[in-house]
Amino acid sequence: MRPIHQTNQRPPPLETQVVDLIPALRAFARTFVSSSCEADDLLQETLFRALRGIDGFEPGTNLKSWLFTIMHNAFRTEYKLRRREAPGLVNCAELPIPMPAAQDWCVLTHELRSALETMAPDHREVLILVAGYGLSYKEAAEICDCAVGTIKSRLSRARDELAYRMGGVPVP
């Protein structure tokens, strides 16, 4: 039996150990992405995070596992961002906007108010009661103290007038 000689050699600094693991990290990165450029980007992000947080590494634990976990987390974060942002879509500028611009509604609201203010009061009243509040012809007739036929007639003329004032079909 040979005696075991204890050496007083210190392990290399963590930064050197990280550099020694780059080939293994590069191979692991290729399991996440197909392109070597993307693998290099993932490797670079992993090294950046690892060296930035090297003080958080607990000596005595597995450095390779720690680095692989960092890479996995970096990939998952990037994957979530890509799914949300969808970069690289062909003709992505031509895709429909997911939500219409709010300023369009502001302009239309202003135009509608202006058009309603210029309408005859009895037309405006019927239009607001039936189209705005959703009242029935009968309910609107009771409020305006007139016949249901009068409400229908006023509403028809009010709709035509509103369409004309909003730049739609002109009043015949």
Side-chain angles (χ1 to χ4, degrees):
M1 208 170 174
R2 295 169 58 193
I4 300 175
H5 296 287
Q6 290 187 354
T7 58
N8 290 340
Q9 287 184 329
R10 288 185 172 171
L14 281 177
E15 290 83 359
T16 304
Q17 292 178 41
V18 169
V19 170
D20 291 342
L21 289 171
I22 287 178
L25 287 168
R26 182 173 280 122
F28 189 55
R30 290 300 300 252
T31 65
F32 291 111
V33 294
S34 57
S35 144
S36 62
C37 292
E38 289 181 36
D40 288 341
D41 289 345
L42 181 57
L43 174 64
Q44 183 177 357
E45 179 65 22
T46 302
L47 293 173
F48 172 74
R49 290 181 182 193
L51 294 174
R52 182 180 62 193
I54 199 83
D55 294 336
F57 176 73
E58 295 180 29
T61 60
N62 191 335
L63 179 63
K64 188 175 183 180
S65 296
W66 185 69
L67 292 170
F68 279 17
T69 302
I70 291 172
M71 181 174 284
H72 179 261
N73 292 340
F75 172 75
R76 298 301 297 168
T77 301
E78 182 65 27
Y79 178 76
K80 287 178 187 176
L81 287 173
R82 283 185 182 190
R83 286 194 61 204
R84 215 174 327 146
E85 296 173 0
L89 285 177
V90 177
N91 300 325
C92 62
E94 297 173 6
L95 293 175
I97 298 172
M99 182 167 56
Q103 65 267 26
D104 292 345
W105 283 105
C106 291
V107 170
L108 285 174
T109 301
H110 178 70
E111 288 177 1
L112 178 61
R113 283 185 182 158
S114 297
L116 285 172
E117 287 173 3
T118 60
M119 291 176 68
D122 55 340
H123 289 174
R124 180 175 54 241
E125 180 182 34
V126 170
L127 189 63
I128 290 172
L129 289 173
V130 177
Y133 293 130
L135 298 179
S136 67
Y137 294 138
K138 183 178 177 184
E139 292 169 323
E142 290 172 4
I143 292 171
C144 294
D145 194 29
C146 63
V148 171
T150 304
I151 293 296
K152 290 180 180 180
S153 175
R154 286 181 186 170
L155 182 62
S156 176
R157 287 193 303 268
R159 285 179 176 157
D160 287 345
E161 185 179 351
L162 183 63
Y164 175 73
R165 293 185 186 282
M166 296 288 294
V169 180
V171 176

